[in-house]
Amino acid sequence: MAHVPYVSADNHVQPDIAQIQSHLWFLSHDLLEGRETGSIGHEFASLYIAAEMKKYGLVPAGDNGSYFQRVKFRQAFLDQASPRLDILSGDERISLSYPKDFTMGPGVVRTEDNVTAPLVFVGYGIVAPELQHDDYADVDVTGKIVVNLAGKPASFPSEEGAHFASGSQKQKYAVERGAIGVITITTPSNEKVRPYQNLLNYLHTPRVRWLQEDGTPASVYPQLKGGAYLSLHAAERLFKTSPVPLQDIYQMLEQGRVPSGFDLPVSVTLHRKSEHKSIQSPNVVGILPGSDPVLKDEYVVYSAHSDHIGLAKTVKQDNINNGAMDNASGTSVMLETARMFSQLPQAPKRSLLFVAVTGEEKGLLGADYFARNPTVPEGSMVANVNLDMPILTYEFADVIAFGASHSDMKKSVEQAAARYDISLSPDPWPQQALFTRSDHYAFVKQGIPAVFLVPGLQSADPEVDGSKVFGEFISTHYHKPSDQFDLPFNWRAAEKFTQVNFEIGRTLADQSERSQWNEGDFFGETFAK
């Protein structure tokens, strides 16, 4: 039997399991066909979320007095017959084979790209003065195509390293120094983690970017006229006449050393054709106004992505990626959290902003658009709590808040969770840098302290191994049609997670000072405004 919601004398509001179940059931239903960004199924999901926000009395905070912030996107599809990569060495022309030797993404800026230029090897292609690292020292890449290694130096801290080694950052470093193309080569160690063969599963995946007011795609570099990712075998062919043999470079990596840059005595021709399509998809935004006459102008932001990956390319009868755990569960918890706040006799001091973002599965795009085009005054968002794929199949005894160690939000989360005898555990997978891999990171990049909240791996039942349960979901159901409502959800876990999530928001909204980055923290120093 579902718990009956109530408000006690101490303003304790209890989650309603039936509410969470009903949200999750609808959002993961087959009729929504996997809620892909730009699809009618995601539109239905967004309309449902907006209707629930209206039911709770949240103030519309989208465009033109609505709950919807419409985001325009460009989809770019690669013409699979068009990719070409030719190595030019003297009078010799070596044509690599697509996709056996190299992969190439579609062009988001132009429908056809063609460039021929000399090559410069630039190590990892990273510029990190904070870590006394500059791969572009003593090389001139103006008008050239840079060749960089996948990944980052082993000595780099995990989360900071993930920032410096991201594809967008490496492109930025290259463009700032005048490069017109980027070729990435895999490494033996990278092959163990991300085999080249696995990339072939994504050949037909479109590249998506949100469009700025002038109709141009955001977060791209028009100066880059081509790019490719090479297999180990293809990289060896590229370095055939290199002054430093590729095997020597790989040996340096094994020894923890970073190779210096140098000119390669070859040029390369890169060519591709792309098809562009326009789509749009909404973020859904609602506000519960704060009660303090001054602090109500500051906002604690809850975010959860409402999109998923749509229909699978499979001959199996069930081809709908319902995304029950990813992320109907997080969206459902956010909605129930909003309802709970609406039941309080007095709202918290700060306002609460609830944002169901689109395009997470396309690269955190909806969150990036909202964080850079907020519907509340710039600088007024003081903290973000992000909910993405909470695994709700066992009753947990702790929570994990990725990113908590970077700000005083750690103390706030600890205090809130302790009220329900829940502990805050450290990141169990620091090497995966999950702090940089969900929607909260879009807020971080705008200088807003944030945490990514999930149930922890400690189980309240000694017979259950939380780490094993999590691993089984990832290996069996993640991004597969089997991620659906008939998974063995533990509704007590859903109730407990919602309660802790609510309490964290109330703590952040009622504390006297707004959340602050820790002194000297890399992300605070890099992004705080």
Side-chain angles (χ1 to χ4, degrees), residues 25 43 49 85 90 119 131 180 198 200 225 257 315 319 376-378 433 449 466-467 476 497:
W25 179 53
E43 290 287 338
I49 293 166
L85 193 161
L119 301 184
L131 301 175
I180 58 174
N198 289 0
L200 304 187
K225 300 177 181 179
R257 298 159 59 201
V315 296
N319 71 331
V376 294
E378 186 174 351
S467 180
T476 306
F497 186 66

Side-chain angles (χ1 to χ4, degrees), residues 89-273:
S89 179
D91 295 331
E92 184 181 18
R93 177 184 292 266
I94 302 171
S95 296
L96 299 185
S97 175
Y98 172 84
K100 178 184 175 183
D101 296 327
F102 71 96
T103 62
M104 183 178 286
V108 181
V109 177
R110 294 168 289 269
T111 55
E112 184 166 9
D113 290 289
N114 194 61
V115 60
T116 299
L119 301 184
V120 181
F121 175 68
V122 291
Y124 286 103
I126 292 173
V127 180
E130 298 88 343
L131 301 175
Q132 293 77 52
H133 184 99
D134 184 359
D135 283 321
Y136 284 87
D138 304 321
V139 292
D140 178 11
V141 301
T142 304
K144 300 175 184 178
I145 296 172
V146 300
V147 179
N148 62 43
L149 299 162
K152 58 182 174 59
S155 62
F156 275 28
S158 177
E159 291 177 344
E160 292 88 336
H163 164 75
F164 287 119
S166 67
S168 60
Q169 282 296 120
K170 288 190 177 186
Q171 290 180 0
K172 179 174 180 285
Y173 306 139
V175 166
E176 287 176 344
R177 287 152 185 82
I180 58 174
V182 177
I183 292 176
T184 300
I185 60 173
T186 189
T187 67
S189 60
N190 191 68
E191 275 295 292
K192 296 175 183 177
V193 179
R194 194 185 187 201
Y196 178 83
Q197 194 67 25
N198 289 0
L199 302 182
L200 304 187
N201 296 326
Y202 304 98
L203 292 181
H204 299 276
T205 302
R207 182 172 290 170
V208 185
R209 293 292 183 268
W210 59 264
L211 298 178
Q212 303 174 100
E213 286 189 6
D214 63 2
T216 60
S219 304
V220 297
Y221 299 99
Q223 302 95 316
L224 295 178
K225 300 177 181 179
Y229 188 97
L230 271 58
S231 68
L232 284 172
H233 173 68
E236 290 171 359
R237 299 178 74 179
L238 193 69
F239 278 72
K240 184 178 179 181
T241 58
S242 168
V244 181
L246 185 58
Q247 291 306 317
D248 289 0
I249 293 174
Y250 287 157
Q251 188 173 4
M252 292 177 66
L253 302 184
E254 291 179 9
Q255 297 168 350
R257 298 159 59 201
V258 178
S260 300
F262 54 84
D263 290 335
L264 281 162
V266 295
S267 294
V268 155
T269 292
L270 298 170
H271 176 262
R272 68 187 171 195
K273 292 182 179 180

Side-chain angles (χ1 to χ4, degrees), residues 255-411:
Q255 297 168 350
R257 298 159 59 201
V258 178
S260 300
F262 54 84
D263 290 335
L264 281 162
V266 295
S267 294
V268 155
T269 292
L270 298 170
H271 176 262
R272 68 187 171 195
K273 292 182 179 180
S274 308
E275 178 187 357
H276 292 170
K277 293 183 179 179
S278 297
I279 61 172
Q280 61 171 281
S281 187
N283 293 324
V284 187
V285 195
I287 294 172
L288 188 142
S291 57
D292 186 273
V294 176
L295 295 181
K296 69 179 182 180
D297 293 330
E298 296 181 349
Y299 296 86
V300 174
V301 185
Y302 279 108
S303 59
H305 75 88
S306 54
D307 66 305
H308 194 51
I309 60 173
L311 302 176
K313 292 179 173 62
T314 176
V315 296
K316 295 181 180 180
Q317 185 174 0
D318 184 3
N319 71 331
I320 299 175
N321 293 298
N322 302 90
M325 207 75 74
D326 184 17
N327 184 38
S329 63
T331 305
S332 300
V333 168
M334 185 179 75
L335 285 173
E336 177 59 2
T337 302
R339 187 200 64 80
M340 291 168 65
F341 274 110
S342 75
Q343 298 298 303
L344 290 174
Q346 181 173 325
K349 294 178 181 179
R350 290 182 177 83
S351 296
L352 294 159
L353 185 64
F354 297 90
V355 191
V357 294
T358 186
E360 189 273 347
E361 301 289 0
K362 308 302 182 186
L364 317 182
L365 298 184
D368 184 58
Y369 183 86
F370 182 83
R372 291 166 63 176
N373 300 274
T375 57
V376 294
E378 186 174 351
S380 65
M381 294 184 288
V382 299
N384 169 236
V385 180
N386 185 54
L387 306 170
D388 186 359
M389 204 174 75
I391 305 300
L392 302 174
T393 54
Y394 62 95
E395 191 173 342
F396 56 92
D398 66 326
V399 292
I400 299 164
F402 298 106
S405 61
H406 296 288
S407 71
D408 60 11
M409 288 183 73
K410 178 179 180 180
K411 183 178 180 181

Side-chain angles (χ1 to χ4, degrees), residues 404-443:
S405 61
H406 296 288
S407 71
D408 60 11
M409 288 183 73
K410 178 179 180 180
K411 183 178 180 181
S412 303
V413 172
E414 283 179 329
Q415 290 177 343
R419 296 190 183 109
Y420 298 94
D421 296 322
I422 299 293
S423 60
L424 174 64
S425 292
D427 181 354
W429 309 289
Q431 70 283 359
Q432 295 188 29
L434 293 177
F435 177 57
T436 67
R437 291 171 54 187
S438 191
D439 290 308
H440 60 286
Y441 196 56
F443 293 92

Side-chain angles (χ1 to χ4, degrees), residues 35-43 73 75 279-282 358:
R35 309 187 308 278
E36 183 158 23
T37 302
S39 70
I40 189 66
H42 183 259
E43 290 287 338
F73 297 97
Q75 288 181 318
I279 61 172
Q280 61 171 281
S281 187
T358 186

